[in-house]
Amino acid sequence: MGRASALVRVTAAYVIAVLAGLAWLVWGPGSGRAWLDGLIADLIATVVIFVASRIYRNSSFYDPYWSVAPPLLAFYWWIDAGEIADTARWWLMMVIMLVWAVRLTGNWIHTFTGLRHEDWRYPMVRERAGRFEIAADLFGIHVFPTLQVFLGLIPVYVVATRAGEAFGVLDIVAFVIGVGAVTIETVADLQMHRFAATKSPGQVMDQGVWAWSRHPNYFGEVCVWLSFALFGLAAAPGSWWVLVGALTMLAMFLGVSIPMMEQRSLQRRPAYHDVVQRVSVFVPLPPRKRAA
């Protein structure tokens, strides 16, 4: 199956998933709580993508979901609330979200080579689960990240459904952080694409923003969710629980994603040992000098 045909199949699965979630929102019994209805629709759509991933034996069907679902949920909450949200705060936040979503989805499309390729972590998760591999696939690879992202969207729900707090300095800080985060991610992606197209076997990336952080894309991703959290805090001052989603994102990247990537890079590229000695693992910092 060619790349174009594979993209058509993935797109079709996402259309069906979105329609299934929308069907729940329109014709389902409803809970009377927009956040809960959104969560149920989100999980329904996730199960549709899970079924598609099982049919095609490739759990990377789920990869675009991370950036496709958030704008849809955000606009559902905003429409359901009847435009209650503070206009300036809402649209500044949505500018960040839409640019982030388009960038991340576009980057996935750019790197998508077809259904023969699957993220190397997914077979590892299934193999470690043994006879429970279906459960690991459903809950570990599909449902867990959906819940993780939903937790990060709680402040977005707050912004969409609460009004009354004046636009202020915290909103500006949130917007600046969001712009900076998306910029870092975009630059990191472009630099990595150029490197991947010209690198020699075993060569490691330590140029541009990658000379300041070994995982600038993950740093930018956490900052995007921090931006949403700060917008939520601006809409509901004192509600520190809106930061929980961003904190769990940070914990996931620092505790799971980065260690897995580090181990794989050290095993596959001996030169990466030198990069570890010189370049910050997460927060961008000036690179250290090579040892004499």
Side-chain angles (χ1 to χ4, degrees), residues 248-291:
T248 58
M249 291 285 180
L250 178 63
M252 180 190 70
F253 284 118
L254 292 181
V256 181
S257 298
I258 288 178
M260 290 180 70
M261 294 295 293
E262 290 284 287
Q263 182 180 11
R264 180 176 171 84
S265 294
L266 288 169
Q267 291 173 345
R268 291 160 56 92
R269 303 175 183 89
Y272 193 70
H273 288 270
D274 177 62
V275 175
V276 170
Q277 297 300 316
R278 295 184 291 106
V279 181
S280 170
V281 64
F282 184 64
V283 179
L285 296 171
R288 294 179 288 273
K289 294 181 179 180
R290 283 186 170 89

Side-chain angles (χ1 to χ4, degrees), residues 15-30 37 40-42 44-45 48:
V15 170
I16 294 171
V18 171
L19 290 176
L22 183 61
W24 162 264
L25 295 175
V26 175
W27 295 295
D37 290 333
I40 294 172
D42 199 11
I44 289 172
V48 171

